């Protein structure tokens, strides 16, 4: 392979802003970067000294560099984000959390609005409060609001069909608007108080409740005054437990921590001066060497991917060099001004300190767990007599209920622990019920035919949940596919079928052996095996439940949704269709004599 001629390339490289893409000799994309000045930025990779080991490793693999010139640095940042998201270059930080965050939704189209958890596109008319870090945080808030303001949270279909109050009314968690036990005006007051609380206007709300309590007491409405008193007391309790007073506004706090080649980013969500919760991320370090570098790579992927809300203020513990460019891109994306700041005071400074301490604590715990896993992998290497430390381990398990809905699982571990993004499930078809050997063979063939064709990475160690029979199936599949240098180990439960007494079946020799109950290698094998078992059972139950919910009429050739609807309307149920004769089936609109015979044959053949 000829060495990349960087000197000639840099001589003709523009000084305008843009994006550069680095490729290896196989035309595989290694890294994507942006620059205000392309020549200056790219030339920094080829200086004589001062490069980190990771950067030198990248430079040694460069065979070509392609650049895209942009009008502004903001355009370069947006293009860089799209390229990273599309191609997943190995030397870029890849943020894999793209899930949508939950909100609290307050409807506005109803006479008696409803509070509910919402996730996804905001199509319905109403107010969305959040985002919250998790559904559990939303449910906790909804539970609190239900006790104080008693706004209904039941489904609309349930609400419209009530003829008497439900249990929530009996335990004083709802005012029963479904049966008009509360006036529209009083319910509207509850809704307004709920909205004030969710918008972070707790102080205004407490002043209003205190005034209402005094007014009701003056008018000798003591029960009403007591209700306002209880609401005020609970709100004061919530304010006292928030921990940090004096804050205001909506913002996110992001703190990055680095240690021993690993990074942690802690995101703290603050809405209406209330901390709603936090989220922890462990982005893999590639070329980033400081907290500012990590945040510079993390921020665009976190906020520009998906539908994540960008707050007007983002507070960081280290300001990236291109913070102004990132802020401008966020402003364009959100349609309002967004500020990135690292110098804050009072409540925001205390929030930032909380995020920094949390990031450091979580990273220390993460590193401790990683080191434990690495020690177990090293013990496994010694027990299996491997020349090198295994970088990838896979385990297969089979799950079914008396042969029904058989599912095979494949879980993947590396030196850091489970790689859940690489997990796979296989729905087993065409194998006799209860034939675990046949199911294992099918799963292995489907898995490793794909890997053989280049779709993924082959493992160093293959664990099979089972004994000699399952191990023989694995060895046969690998031999048929000409896949070598994979260590196969069967994990049998042993005579007692208790944890710690597993029998290992060594694939190469067929020899059986047991490891001591306190062996770190055995603990790792148990962990991987149990994870494969859990993943297989989850897939099996989902498939079984789906099959049991499926109508007998589904799967009949030529019978789509419209014909199924006509059949059910005519006979009343799937069992009624099954009990019908061919002549009776022909009487249904859209069902010909041929189709009637086909339906009859399918239902009765399936039953047999």
């Amino acid at each position: 392979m000829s060495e990349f001629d960087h000197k000639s390339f840099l001589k003709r490289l523009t000084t305008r802003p843009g994006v550069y893409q680095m490729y290896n000799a196989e035309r595989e994309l290694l890294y994507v970067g942006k620059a205000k000045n392309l020549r200056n930025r790219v030339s920094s990779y080829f200086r004589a000294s001062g490069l980190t080991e990771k950067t030198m490793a990248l430079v040694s693999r460069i065979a070509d560099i392609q650049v895209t010139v942009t009008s502004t640095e903001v355009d370069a940042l947006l293009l860089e984000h799209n390229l990273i998201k599309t191609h997943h270059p190995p030397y870029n930080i890849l943020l894999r959390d793209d899930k949508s965050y939950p909100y609290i939704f307050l409807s506005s189209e109803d006479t008696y609005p409803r509070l509910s958890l919402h996730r996804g596109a905001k199509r319905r008319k109403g107010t969305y409060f959040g985002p919250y870090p998790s559904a559990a945080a939303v449910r906790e808030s909804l539970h609190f609001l239900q006790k104080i303001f008693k706004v209904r949270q039941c489904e609309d279909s349930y609400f419209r069909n009530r003829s008497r109050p439900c249990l929530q009314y009996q335990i004083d968690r709802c005012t029963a608007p479904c049966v008009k036990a509360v006036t529209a005006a009083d319910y509207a007051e509850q809704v307004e108080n709920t909205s004030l609380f969710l918008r972070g206007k707790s102080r205004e709300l407490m002043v209003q409740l205190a005034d209402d309590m005094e007014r009701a007491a003056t008018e000798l409405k003591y029960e009403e005054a007591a209700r306002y008193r209880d609401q005020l007391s609970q709100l004061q309790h919530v304010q006292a437990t928030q921990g940090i007073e004096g804050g205001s506004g909506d913002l996110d706090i992001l703190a990055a921590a680095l240690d021993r080649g690993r990074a942690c980013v802690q995101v703290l969500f603050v809405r209406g001066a209330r901390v709603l919760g936090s989220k922890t991320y462990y982005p893999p370090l590639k070329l980033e060497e400081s907290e500012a570098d990590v945040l510079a790579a993390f921020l665009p992927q976190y906020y520009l991917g998906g539908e994540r809300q960008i707050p007007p203020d983002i507070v960081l513990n280290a300001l990236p060099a291109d913070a102004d460019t990132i802020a401008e891109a966020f402003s364009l994306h959100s349609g309002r001004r967004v500020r990135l700041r690292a110098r804050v005071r009072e409540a925001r400074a205390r929030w930032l300190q909380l995020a920094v301490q949390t990031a450091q604590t979580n990273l220390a715990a993460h590193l401790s767990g990683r080191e434990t896993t690495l020690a177990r992998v090293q013990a496994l290497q010694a027990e299996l007599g491997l020349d090198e430390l295994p970088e990838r381990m896979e385990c297969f398990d089979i799950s079914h209920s008396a042969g029904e809905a058989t599912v095979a699982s494949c879980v993947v571990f590396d030196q850091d622990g489970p790689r859940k993004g690489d997990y796979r499930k296989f729905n087993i078809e065409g194998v006799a019920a209860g034939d675990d050997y046949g199911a294992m063979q099918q799963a292995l063939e489907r898995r490793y035919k794909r890997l053989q064709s280049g779709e993924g990475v082959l493992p160093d160690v293959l664990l099979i949940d089972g004994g000699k029979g399952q191990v023989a199936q694995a060895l046969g599949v690998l031999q048929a596919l000409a896949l070598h240098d994979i260590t196969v180990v069967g994990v049998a439960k042993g005579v007692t079928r208790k944890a710690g007494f597993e029998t290992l079946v060594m694939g190469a020799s067929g020899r059986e052996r047991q490891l001591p109950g306190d062996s770190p290698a055995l603990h790792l094998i148990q962990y991987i095996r149990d994870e494969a078992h859990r993943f297989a059972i989850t897939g099996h139950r989902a498939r079984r439940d789906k099959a049991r919910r499926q109508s007998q009429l589904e799967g009949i050739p030529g019978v789509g949704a419209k014909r199924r609807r006509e059949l059910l309307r005519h006979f009343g149920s799937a069992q009624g269709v099954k009990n019908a004769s061919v002549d009776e089936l022909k009487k249904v609109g859209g069902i010909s004599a041929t189709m009637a015979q086909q339906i009859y044959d399918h239902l009765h053949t399936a039953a047999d």
Side-chain angles (χ1 to χ4, degrees):
M1 180 183 73
S2 60
E3 186 178 348
F4 178 64
D5 186 2
H6 66 274
K7 293 182 179 179
S8 300
F9 177 80
L10 292 172
K11 283 181 181 178
R12 62 178 186 272
L13 188 58
T14 179
T15 58
R16 293 180 60 186
V19 170
Y20 54 94
Q21 297 167 254
M22 296 175 170
Y23 294 87
N24 62 13
E26 289 74 35
R27 295 298 301 164
E28 296 171 335
L29 184 60
L30 299 174
Y31 183 74
V32 176
K34 66 178 186 309
K36 185 177 182 178
N37 182 317
L38 280 169
R39 181 188 297 170
N40 290 347
R41 181 70 185 96
V42 175
S43 63
S44 69
Y45 289 93
F46 299 96
R47 60 176 183 258
S49 62
L51 296 178
T52 65
E53 291 184 5
K54 293 178 181 178
T55 304
M56 288 190 290
L58 167 64
V59 172
S60 67
R61 299 179 62 186
I62 295 174
D64 187 27
I65 300 177
Q66 299 290 328
V67 300
T68 303
V69 178
T70 59
S71 301
T72 65
E73 193 177 357
V74 173
D75 291 338
L77 184 145
L78 296 174
L79 177 58
E80 177 199 39
H81 164 71
N82 290 332
L83 289 171
I84 292 173
K85 189 175 180 180
T86 302
H87 299 290
H88 301 137
Y91 281 87
N92 286 98
I93 277 185
L94 301 177
L95 181 61
R96 302 184 185 277
D97 181 80
D98 280 334
K99 73 173 185 180
S100 60
Y101 279 86
Y103 289 78
I104 288 179
F105 173 65
L106 179 61
S107 63
S108 63
E109 296 177 306
D110 308 311
T111 305
Y112 298 99
R114 176 196 176 213
L115 269 180
S116 61
L117 182 151
H118 175 87
R119 198 194 291 273
K122 303 180 181 69
R123 297 190 179 94
R124 293 187 59 192
K125 291 183 179 179
T127 308
Y128 297 85
F129 301 96
Y132 286 74
S134 66
V138 172
R139 294 188 184 98
E140 182 180 349
S141 297
L142 289 174
H143 181 69
F144 170 76
L145 291 168
Q146 194 176 40
K147 289 195 297 184
I148 298 184
F149 301 119
K150 303 175 178 60
V151 173
R152 74 176 183 93
Q153 298 182 18
C154 56
E155 295 284 349
D156 291 337
S157 57
Y158 183 82
F159 172 77
R160 297 190 188 103
N161 291 290
R162 293 300 299 176
S163 59
R164 60 180 182 177
C166 68
L167 178 62
Q168 296 300 321
Y169 175 77
Q170 304 296 332
I171 63 175
D172 199 27
R173 297 292 176 87
C174 182
T175 51
C178 53
V179 294
K180 306 298 189 293
V182 60
T183 66
D186 287 344
Y187 190 84
E189 181 184 352
Q190 298 172 9
V191 171
E192 178 59 26
N193 290 344
T194 300
S195 179
L196 282 172
F197 177 80
L198 289 171
R199 283 187 279 136
K201 300 186 180 295
S202 297
R203 292 180 180 177
E204 294 92 323
L205 178 57
M206 286 191 289
V207 170
Q208 179 180 309
L209 289 173
D211 292 341
D212 290 340
M213 180 178 66
E214 291 180 7
R215 173 189 53 76
T218 302
E219 297 174 358
L220 305 181
K221 299 177 180 177
Y222 297 119
E223 289 186 5
E224 185 178 338
R227 176 165 57 85
Y228 288 129
R229 178 203 62 203
D230 293 342
Q231 291 178 343
L232 183 60
S233 175
Q234 292 188 62
L235 283 174
Q236 288 170 338
H237 177 70
V238 169
Q239 287 293 96
T241 57
Q242 280 295 310
I244 297 177
E245 300 289 343
S248 62
D250 295 348
L251 64 149
D252 285 353
I253 315 280
L254 281 81
L258 274 69
D259 189 16
R260 286 174 277 175
R262 305 290 292 184
C264 173
V265 177
Q266 193 72 29
V267 185
L268 206 66
F269 303 89
V270 180
R271 297 295 181 269
R274 294 173 55 238
V275 179
L276 299 184
S278 65
K279 190 78 174 176
T280 308
Y281 298 88
Y282 300 98
L285 283 182
K286 301 301 182 180
L287 304 179
E288 297 72 19
E289 295 299 326
S290 68
E291 287 85 354
D293 292 336
V294 170
L295 290 172
F298 181 88
L299 285 164
Q301 289 199 62
Y302 183 73
Y303 285 110
L304 299 179
E307 299 180 357
R308 187 171 281 113
Q309 183 187 62
I310 304 178
D313 285 306
I314 300 174
V315 178
L316 311 169
N317 70 322
L319 206 61
D322 55 352
D324 292 341
T325 301
I326 296 173
E328 187 177 349
F330 288 177
S331 299
L332 290 172
H333 186 77
S334 63
R336 64 181 177 188
R337 185 188 177 196
V338 176
R339 296 181 298 176
L340 270 61
R341 296 191 292 171
R343 297 172 63 88
V344 289
R345 297 181 299 173
E346 299 176 348
R348 297 189 176 198
R350 294 194 291 275
W351 278 326
L352 179 58
Q353 183 60 30
L354 174 65
V356 170
Q357 291 174 349
T358 306
Q360 291 171 346
T361 301
N362 287 340
L363 181 58
H366 180 72
L367 286 171
S368 176
R370 180 172 179 263
E371 289 170 355
T372 300
T373 302
L374 182 59
R376 290 177 174 180
V377 174
Q378 291 170 340
L380 182 66
Q381 176 192 9
E383 292 291 352
L384 299 182
L386 303 177
D387 295 332
E388 296 180 353
L389 198 66
E391 295 184 359
R392 187 182 180 92
M393 295 155 282
E394 296 188 357
C395 182
F396 282 76
D397 189 21
I398 305 295
S399 180
H400 57 80
S401 298
E404 178 189 5
T406 303
V407 170
S409 69
C410 171
V411 300
V412 181
F413 279 61
D414 60 15
Q415 296 169 9
D416 292 334
R419 292 181 57 91
K420 295 193 175 182
D422 291 351
Y423 285 16
R424 294 293 182 269
K425 285 195 290 276
F426 302 92
N427 290 335
I428 303 301
E429 306 286 357
V431 173
D435 182 3
D436 287 356
Y437 292 167
M440 182 65 72
Q441 179 180 354
Q442 183 180 127
L444 291 164
E445 287 175 347
R446 289 167 60 181
R447 173 67 169 172
Y448 292 118
K449 278 181 180 178
R450 296 175 186 174
L451 296 184
Q452 186 190 39
S453 62
E455 297 182 25
V457 182
L458 288 169
D460 301 303
V461 176
L462 172 59
L463 300 174
I464 302 295
D465 184 28
K468 291 185 175 181
Q470 285 87 347
V471 169
Q473 294 292 337
L475 293 172
V477 170
L478 295 179
Q479 185 177 2
L481 296 175
L483 296 175
H484 308 291
D485 300 325
I486 298 177
T487 301
V488 179
V489 180
V491 187
K493 291 183 173 63
V495 178
T496 64
R497 302 184 68 83
K498 292 182 179 179
F501 295 90
E502 289 86 352
T503 298
L504 304 185
V505 180
M506 314 310 293
S509 62
R511 183 170 59 91
E512 295 184 359
R513 58 181 300 201
Q514 284 188 322
L515 299 180
D518 60 353
S519 165
L522 178 61
H523 295 164
L524 177 62
I525 290 172
Q526 289 171 334
Y527 180 22
I528 298 174
R529 186 271 318 277
D530 291 346
E531 181 69 356
H533 189 55
R534 179 200 63 80
F535 195 52
I537 288 177
T538 301
H540 158 64
R541 287 175 178 168
R543 187 184 184 195
R544 181 194 62 193
D545 294 346
K546 180 180 178 182
R548 290 180 178 179
R549 289 194 304 267
Q550 188 173 4
S551 169
Q552 295 180 2
L553 304 182
E554 294 186 40
I556 303 177
V559 178
K562 185 176 180 180
R563 281 177 171 156
R564 282 199 301 272
R565 189 166 54 248
E566 292 298 325
L567 287 165
L568 291 171
R569 185 177 298 165
H570 186 89
F571 293 104
S573 67
Q575 189 61 39
V577 178
K578 184 178 178 180
N579 293 336
S581 65
V582 174
D583 290 336
E584 289 173 326
L585 290 169
K586 288 192 295 185
K587 296 176 181 178
V588 179
I591 304 295
S592 64
T594 303
M595 179 60 68
Q597 187 65 53
Q598 189 171 328
I599 294 171
Y600 183 89
D601 292 342
H602 180 90
L603 291 176
H604 290 80
T605 301
D608 296 339

